[in-house]
Amino acid sequence: TLFKAPATINYPFEKSPKNKEARGLILFEEPKCIWCLKCEDVCPPGAILFTQNRESFAYTYNYNPYLCIYCGECVRACPDKAVALTQCDELSPPSDDKSMNDNWFLVEKE
């Protein structure tokens, strides 16, 4: 290693290279969704659940980021007409909301 360049990078000043195979966060755009429910069917860990209001018959999209394995199957299953689900390569800021996932357990019981 005396005659080779160092294997590390100067982190705060240089960003580490991104992995080409890394998958990002799942983003949902409700206006584009056609409510085909394919993403719920193909999600391996069950991180996407739809609930339906019994009076208005409107669907609600529920997503649990703690269950998600970011495989991208939901994005691939989304029809070309809709493209309501996408993956981004940005990191989300940490949330300080302690009750962020409380609604998820109610949805699962339902």
Side-chain angles (χ1 to χ4, degrees):
T1 60
L2 184 62
F3 300 106
K4 293 181 183 176
T8 60
I9 61 169
N10 193 5
Y11 171 65
F13 306 107
E14 297 176 20
K15 297 292 181 188
S16 59
K18 291 186 180 179
N19 187 353
K20 295 175 188 174
E21 298 174 3
R23 300 178 192 109
L25 299 171
I26 306 294
L27 300 176
F28 175 70
E29 296 181 46
E30 188 172 349
K32 293 183 177 181
C33 188
I34 59 173
W35 308 105
C36 64
L37 310 181
K38 288 182 181 180
C39 54
E40 180 183 22
D41 293 338
V42 299
C43 184
I48 297 174
L49 289 176
F50 285 95
T51 55
Q52 188 174 22
N53 188 344
R54 293 181 183 175
E55 290 140 12
S56 66
F57 300 107
Y59 285 105
T60 305
Y61 172 82
N62 299 291
Y63 171 68
N64 188 341
Y66 298 113
L67 282 179
C68 185
I69 58 174
Y70 303 102
C71 63
E73 288 300 316
C74 56
V75 176
R76 284 190 278 283
C78 192
D80 292 336
K81 299 177 201 171
V83 192
L85 290 170
T86 56
Q87 282 185 308
C88 73
D89 57 353
E90 299 173 6
L91 298 175
S92 65
S95 176
D96 59 353
D97 185 12
K98 301 295 183 205
S99 64
M100 183 169 106
N101 247 4
D102 288 349
N103 188 33
W104 181 261
F105 301 113
L106 297 174
V107 169
E108 280 191 334
K109 284 182 185 177
E110 190 178 295

